[in-house]
Amino acid sequence: MTEMKPVNEATAAKADAPKKMVLPDAQTITYVKHWTDRLFSFRVTRPSSLRFRSGEFVMIGLMGDPDPKTGKQKPLLRAYSIASPSWDEELEFYSIKVQDGPLTSKLQHIQVGDELILRPKPVGTLVHDALLPGKRLWFFATGTGFAPFASLLREPQTYEDYDEVIITHTCREVGELEYGAALIESLKTDELLNELIGEGFWKKIKYYPTTTREESPKMGRITDLMRSGEAFADLGVPPLNAETDRAMICGNLAFNLELKQMFEDYGLEEGANSDPKHYVVEKAFLD
């Protein structure tokens, strides 16, 4: 015969309380920073089994609202480039906020300690394996397309393979450049990276930020600045050519297509993991 336990208000309330939903492939938020009213970054725990190449992306998300009829919830997932390098103990992401967006309208409110869904199957084209050896590596980004390059800028292979690394970042407003500018500046004083990659590795980087709406030191779309020759003059480098230059693109669809055509005109060919060439484009990104 089992002993009868007295029921008090606390135990009764606990029994009636709804059970917390267990998220599939759950990871815990460890850090959140809001850069502007449209942009934020966050870090999450990394699954012990996750292996990825710097520049790849994974599917992350949250549970959607309950179905009005069934009450069931489905996960809302979106492809996000991993902004942290492959050796980091945590995973970093950089996101836009869309007020009526199915996922980002919810994701922008996450706090430290919350959980999100992370499908541990990384894929992507912005990896070193998809490029032939070269002298100079270009990163071309718009908006949150900077994320995969935040990973690659902290990847030792980037500096082992290239003598020079040029990153262009085009945004509408100055504040939207802050995440990238702060990351690049932090490389100079990062003791771990300077030890891991080599003292002064960051001197190989040339950073070229531009804005298209708000006044800044350099105005204009990077494609227009390249066509006029202004970008190359500012950077002190010749126009791209297939013998020395390799490039990665991560931006909105129109930007990607415009740069692809420019690269073809320069004589560069698009590569892939299975067929390395002169440049690659991240097709999963939409700003």
Side-chain angles (χ1 to χ4, degrees):
M1 186 172 179
T2 57
E3 181 184 356
M4 297 293 290
K5 293 184 178 179
V7 177
N8 54 35
E9 291 183 8
T11 56
K14 186 175 181 180
D16 292 337
K19 292 183 178 179
K20 183 180 178 182
M21 175 174 288
V22 178
L23 291 180
D25 298 314
Q27 297 301 319
T28 304
I29 306 295
T30 62
Y31 171 88
V32 181
K33 177 162 182 174
H34 295 269
W35 297 89
T36 72
D37 58 357
R38 294 183 65 248
L39 299 167
F40 70 109
S41 63
F42 56 97
R43 294 177 71 88
V44 305
T45 53
R46 176 175 177 170
S48 58
S49 61
L50 178 62
R51 298 290 181 271
F52 70 95
R53 295 174 296 176
S54 294
E56 290 188 312
F57 65 85
V58 289
M59 302 296 290
I60 67 171
L62 298 168
M63 296 303 292
D65 295 327
D67 184 281
K69 295 180 179 179
T70 65
K72 293 183 178 180
Q73 293 175 269
K74 293 183 178 179
L76 294 170
L77 299 173
R78 182 172 179 263
Y80 268 77
S81 293
I82 303 173
S84 47
S86 60
W87 51 265
D88 203 323
E89 294 180 353
E90 293 185 332
L91 301 176
E92 181 179 331
F93 299 96
Y94 183 43
S95 178
I96 193 171
K97 305 176 190 179
V98 180
Q99 299 311 318
D100 57 353
L103 176 58
T104 58
S105 61
K106 299 175 181 292
L107 193 63
Q108 64 184 288
H109 300 298
I110 56 173
Q111 297 180 3
V112 172
D114 290 348
E115 290 185 337
L116 58 68
I117 303 165
L118 189 150
R119 295 284 163 81
K121 296 180 180 178
V123 291
T125 56
L126 301 184
V127 293
H128 287 302
D129 294 342
L131 295 176
L132 294 169
K135 175 185 177 183
R136 186 180 298 113
L137 178 61
W138 292 77
F139 294 141
F140 292 92
T142 62
T144 54
F146 189 93
F149 305 138
S151 174
L152 287 158
L153 284 167
R154 291 177 280 184
E155 168 59 50
Q157 187 180 348
T158 300
Y159 305 94
E160 293 169 5
D161 291 357
Y162 298 94
D163 297 331
E164 202 166 23
V165 179
I166 299 174
I167 178 157
T168 80
H169 192 197
T170 299
C171 295
R172 286 175 288 188
E173 301 171 359
V174 174
E176 296 171 348
L177 296 167
E178 189 179 351
Y179 172 81
L183 185 143
I184 290 172
E185 185 64 26
S186 72
L187 299 180
K188 300 177 182 179
T189 55
D190 191 309
E191 293 182 4
L192 175 61
L193 282 174
N194 276 276
E195 182 178 339
L196 189 66
I197 301 173
E199 193 71 34
F201 74 92
W202 47 271
K203 294 177 182 178
K204 287 188 174 185
I205 300 171
K206 288 188 175 181
Y207 174 48
Y208 196 70
T210 74
T211 57
T212 56
R213 291 188 185 178
E214 186 179 358
E215 189 73 27
S216 72
K218 180 57 63 174
M219 299 283 295
R221 298 165 69 244
I222 185 61
T223 46
D224 292 337
L225 293 167
M226 290 167 68
R227 284 195 189 92
S228 69
E230 187 175 340
F232 302 117
D234 290 340
L235 290 164
V237 297
L240 282 75
N241 74 77
E243 288 188 13
T244 57
D245 294 277
R246 302 294 174 260
M248 296 184 178
I249 311 171
C250 192
N252 60 60
L253 183 58
F255 176 76
N256 291 357
L257 293 174
E258 187 177 5
L259 267 180
K260 273 170 63 77
Q261 185 56 57
M262 291 180 69
F263 288 170
E264 297 293 332
D265 293 341
Y266 286 131
L268 276 63
E269 298 179 55
E270 185 173 359
N273 280 276
S274 58
D275 185 22
K277 289 293 177 62
H278 309 116
Y279 76 91
V280 285
V281 183
E282 185 51 83
K283 300 177 180 65
F285 173 78
L286 289 175
D287 188 20

